[in-house]
Amino acid sequence: MQSKKIEQSPPWNNTTKLVVALVLIALITFILARFTKLLAPLFFAFVLAYLLYPIPNFFKKKLKISWRLTVVIIYLILLILFLGLITLGGFAVVDQISSLIKFIQVEIKDIPTLLNQLSQQKYEFGNFVLDFSKLDLVSVGNQILSMIQPMLSGVGNLVASIAGRAAALIGWTLFSIVISYFILSETKGSRNELFKIDIPGYNYDIKQMGTELSRTWNSFLRGQLTIVLITIIVYIILLGALGVNYYYGLAFIAGFARFVPYVGPAVAWTAYGLVSYFQGTSLFGLESFPYALLVVGIAWVTDVILDNFVVPRLMGDALKVHPASVMVAVIIFASLFGFIGVLLAAPVFASFKLVGEYVFLKLFDIDPWDKISQERIPNEPQIPKRFIPFLKSFESKRNKTESRKNNSKIKNGKKK
């Protein structure tokens, strides 16, 4: 008897693969161009699901209840908090930020006149003399204006559009929350189900890439959001105590300035100085200029404390990208994706850097994960030289003590 030949799926030749790949690229490009408005809400839904994953996972283990029920409870609480924030103060904060931007846009036009007057002033603080007549403040002011005005215009348009389209914003946010609920509930408690890609022969690379990207995004999202929240709370208390107008709006500017290295804090300090100078009232009866200097100086000290004590503990060296490259990435992604691009420029750039490094090393037949894992190893702390003799003496005494204990155990064992 002749055995029946089992038919198998025929392999594609290179031409077929190329045609199919080009068609897929064309379809993906068309979908992205046609449904651009969906990209940001969908991306936010994935980010929200990723951020919330540890919460139901913790309660599932502690309370011993099903994963789906835990996710339902978490999202009901999240929905109540979201609607409560909108009802209590969401629109008020947006209105104050909008008023703040309009105030700065009006008053900033007087900066050249102000600097011209300031260049003729001389301030004495005890033995210290501050003479502005030796500085070319007018040209400096014009340069500052050329930088700040486009940024304020863009932020003002953004805030105005948010305030004008509040219903649409709430709708898209609710859409993202619902999508993230389905994403998280269908994982059934497995983090790997959040982003699952299966390519034959590259499962190990995909797993390693997922681990590295998870470290980057986990460190950035949770760390950066914590830093922004701390900054907003600190500046609400600080600027409110100093009597600065629009302190809620200025506190939110201070928080979001954390996403842009160097430039963000400088713009925030400029905003504090302008508001405190032109608001007409000041703390302790100070004149406008000393009062503005006091506010900016305290803000500078606050940012130094945050940068040197809070940020390193929460962020560490998670992204491993230079701040200057982050600034360039912010400009590029802001032009491509708007405000969301500014917020996520750093982790997206770090992700591109990781993928680029992987591709570069694979082109030269080098195992990429050996090099990438070595870069992740933190530097060992250096012990001060003056402590080395003490540590050697302590180690020697500990070794002698352990040797005596071992000898005594051996003797006791022989006696028995």
Side-chain angles (χ1 to χ4, degrees):
M1 294 179 64
Q2 293 182 350
S3 60
K4 293 183 179 180
K5 186 178 180 181
I6 300 174
E7 293 186 1
Q8 295 180 346
S9 176
W12 288 352
N13 56 35
N14 292 333
T15 304
T16 305
K17 293 177 182 177
L18 179 61
V19 171
V20 172
L22 292 175
V23 170
L24 287 176
I25 292 172
L27 285 174
I28 292 171
T29 305
F30 171 76
I31 292 171
L32 292 177
R34 183 68 178 81
F35 301 100
T36 306
K37 291 183 179 180
L38 283 174
L39 292 180
L42 287 175
F43 184 77
F44 179 71
F46 278 102
V47 171
L48 185 62
Y50 181 81
L51 287 174
L52 292 178
Y53 173 82
I55 301 175
N57 188 46
F58 172 79
F59 284 107
K60 176 179 175 290
K61 293 178 179 178
K62 294 294 182 181
L63 302 178
K64 305 298 181 182
I65 58 178
S66 68
W67 173 261
R68 195 178 294 274
L69 179 59
T70 309
V71 173
V72 169
I73 295 171
I74 295 298
Y75 272 83
L76 283 175
I77 296 172
L78 176 65
L79 191 61
I80 292 170
L81 289 174
F82 173 70
L83 295 176
L85 288 174
I86 291 175
T87 305
L88 294 176
F91 294 113
V93 171
V94 172
D95 182 64
Q96 188 173 114
I97 294 175
S98 179
S99 300
L100 168 64
I101 298 298
K102 292 177 181 177
F103 174 81
I104 295 176
Q105 285 176 335
V106 171
E107 299 296 342
I108 201 174
K109 296 177 182 177
D110 296 331
I111 283 184
T113 305
L114 168 66
L115 292 177
N116 189 26
Q117 295 174 355
L118 188 63
S119 63
Q120 302 172 8
Q121 301 295 324
K122 181 186 293 186
Y123 292 91
E124 296 183 5
F125 304 94
N127 295 327
F128 180 74
V129 178
L130 190 61
D131 189 2
F132 290 105
S133 61
K134 299 179 180 179
L135 301 175
D136 188 8
L137 296 179
V138 177
S139 61
V140 173
N142 290 328
Q143 292 178 4
I144 294 174
L145 276 176
S146 63
M147 287 192 306
I148 294 177
Q149 277 183 328
M151 298 177 66
L152 286 176
S153 177
V155 175
N157 294 334
L158 174 67
V159 174
S161 65
I162 290 174
R165 294 181 293 177
L169 179 65
I170 294 171
W172 281 117
T173 305
L174 290 174
F175 171 78
S176 298
I177 292 174
V178 171
I179 295 298
S180 68
Y181 161 75
F182 287 116
I183 293 172
L184 196 58
S185 63
E186 292 302 320
T187 61
K188 300 177 182 178
S190 175
R191 185 186 288 272
N192 294 329
E193 295 294 327
L194 279 172
F195 309 99
K196 188 175 181 180
I197 302 174
D198 187 8
I199 300 176
Y202 286 89
N203 288 329
Y204 176 76
D205 282 1
I206 292 172
K207 182 180 178 182
Q208 292 297 111
M209 183 67 72
T211 301
E212 295 298 328
L213 289 175
S214 177
R215 286 174 180 170
T216 298
W217 283 85
N218 184 57
S219 301
F220 176 81
L221 288 174
R222 294 193 176 92
Q224 190 74 12
L225 289 176
T226 305
I227 292 166
V228 168
L229 183 61
I230 291 173
T231 304
I232 290 173
I233 294 172
V234 167
Y235 270 96
I236 286 175
I237 298 171
L238 181 64
L239 297 177
L242 290 172
V244 181
N245 292 344
Y246 307 109
Y247 59 90
Y248 276 113
L250 290 171
F252 275 88
I253 289 176
F256 288 115
R258 289 277 155 191
F259 287 98
V260 187
Y262 305 132
V263 177
V267 172
W269 299 335
T270 305
Y272 313 149
L274 288 173
V275 173
S276 57
Y277 183 85
F278 290 112
Q279 70 180 23
T281 58
S282 63
L283 194 67
F284 308 126
L286 294 172
E287 294 182 4
S288 296
F289 184 70
Y291 176 59
L293 282 180
L294 175 67
V295 171
V296 174
I298 292 176
W300 176 78
V301 172
T302 303
D303 282 343
V304 169
I305 294 172
L306 290 173
D307 289 335
N308 288 279
F309 295 98
V310 179
V311 174
R313 291 179 179 273
L314 292 174
M315 293 290 289
D317 196 18
L319 299 181
K320 292 188 178 297
V321 291
H322 197 278
S325 60
V326 175
M327 288 176 57
V328 177
V330 166
I331 296 171
I332 295 172
F333 289 115
S335 63
L336 293 175
F337 306 108
F339 186 64
I340 297 295
V342 174
L343 300 184
L344 300 177
V348 171
F349 178 76
S351 301
F352 283 159
K353 177 177 176 289
L354 176 64
V355 174
E357 187 176 3
Y358 168 82
V359 172
F360 179 80
L361 293 173
K362 291 291 283 186
L363 288 174
F364 290 92
D365 296 327
I366 301 173
D367 187 355
W369 305 118
D370 284 344
K371 186 176 185 302
I372 293 172
S373 60
Q374 288 176 4
E375 292 177 354
R376 288 287 182 185
I377 299 174
N379 294 327
E380 295 184 359
Q382 298 295 325
I383 301 174
K385 292 182 179 180
R386 62 179 180 274
F387 291 125
I388 292 177
F390 172 77
L391 291 175
K392 287 182 177 180
S393 174
F394 178 78
E395 186 70 20
S396 176
K397 291 180 181 179
R398 191 182 69 175
N399 291 336
K400 289 180 180 179
T401 304
E402 290 180 355
S403 178
R404 289 172 185 172
K405 289 181 180 179
N406 293 332
N407 291 333
S408 61
K409 288 180 181 179
I410 293 170
K411 289 179 181 179
N412 293 332
K414 288 181 178 180
K415 288 179 180 180
K416 291 180 182 180

